[in-house]
Amino acid sequence: MRVPKEGEFITIQSYKHDGSLHRTWRDTMVLKTSEQSVIGCNDHTLVTEADGRRWLTREPAIVYFHKHYWFNIIAMIRENGISYYCNLASPYTMDEEALKYIDYDLDIKVFPDGEKRLLDVDEYEAHRKKWQYPNDIDHILKENVKVLVEWINEEKGPFSKEYVELWYERYQQLSQK
């Protein structure tokens, strides 16, 4: 697996369980890589949907991907505080083309005031039946929802304001090179 360097730009691709491309982010700046994770920043990043629609992200966001957890975390830095969008998804892989993962529909949104919402449960159930998600994946995803909620409640890792500030500051430093 290719390991991108700090300051390098990568593409992120999310797929659905059936292998179809779901969404692509162009030019995510890598802030840190390790054997287990990738931290990056999207800032007015071009996003292309599977149907060809394109849009730009509105604000800077710190993105966190891990090789063992079945989720990824997007910390959006907004005027009213940090909002989080967490995708329940396969652990990432990386090749010459992109960082890749399978999106499993379930999402958790965390608002600046700490309110949490589990989103897209109906979509998850419909796709689980349509694509026949194996029982072990269903179990893994539900267990990872619990892990995510624990991280949110404990303000662990990306859910710490200091973490987001540290990595956003690093992004600003790298952007000025």
Side-chain angles (χ1 to χ4, degrees):
M1 184 180 301
R2 184 176 93 74
V3 179
K5 293 177 176 53
E6 179 184 90
E8 185 179 328
F9 289 92
I10 62 169
T11 297
I12 297 171
Q13 295 175 337
S14 80
Y15 292 82
K16 288 300 185 179
H17 185 78
D18 69 345
S20 62
L21 183 63
H22 173 56
R23 186 172 289 139
T24 301
W25 290 260
R26 288 267 320 270
D27 298 331
T28 297
M29 182 188 279
V30 173
L31 303 177
K32 181 176 189 238
T33 57
S34 72
E35 299 241 340
Q36 306 302 317
S37 64
V38 172
I39 301 168
C41 186
N42 287 330
D43 191 3
H44 296 84
T45 299
L46 177 64
V47 180
T48 305
E49 302 289 341
D51 64 8
R53 284 181 302 127
R54 304 170 120 198
W55 52 278
L56 290 176
T57 59
R58 289 185 298 221
E59 64 271 313
I62 302 301
V63 296
Y64 173 85
F65 296 89
H66 201 279
K67 283 204 185 143
H68 297 294
Y69 293 109
W70 284 66
F71 54 78
N72 55 65
I73 301 165
I74 303 162
M76 296 166 285
I77 303 164
R78 296 182 169 156
E79 284 185 26
N80 65 339
I82 301 166
S83 293
Y84 294 90
Y85 201 87
C86 312
N87 296 296
L88 274 293
S90 68
Y92 78 93
T93 61
M94 176 119 22
D95 62 20
E96 292 301 319
E97 184 181 27
L99 180 150
K100 300 175 180 182
Y101 66 91
I102 299 170
D103 182 304
Y104 280 102
D105 314 308
L106 286 174
D107 304 300
I108 297 177
K109 184 162 184 174
V110 184
F111 296 86
D113 67 1
E115 178 191 347
K116 297 179 278 301
R117 285 192 199 152
L118 182 62
L119 306 174
D120 303 328
V121 174
D122 293 344
E123 182 183 357
Y124 173 77
E125 287 302 326
H127 285 163
R128 186 172 71 87
K129 289 182 179 106
K130 177 180 177 180
W131 291 318
Q132 301 176 349
Y133 296 170
N135 288 337
D136 60 335
I137 286 182
D138 184 60
H139 176 75
I140 288 167
L141 293 169
K142 288 175 178 166
E143 288 301 309
N144 275 263
V145 167
K146 293 176 192 173
V147 172
L148 255 177
V149 170
E150 186 178 294
W151 282 29
I152 294 163
N153 290 340
E154 294 175 4
E155 297 181 359
K156 182 175 178 180
F159 297 103
S160 154
K161 184 179 179 190
E162 293 77 19
Y163 178 103
V164 174
E165 289 171 351
L166 172 91
W167 289 112
Y168 184 57
E169 188 176 305
R170 185 66 185 134
Y171 165 72
Q172 291 174 311
Q173 291 167 352
L174 290 168
S175 295
Q176 293 177 0
K177 282 186 175 180

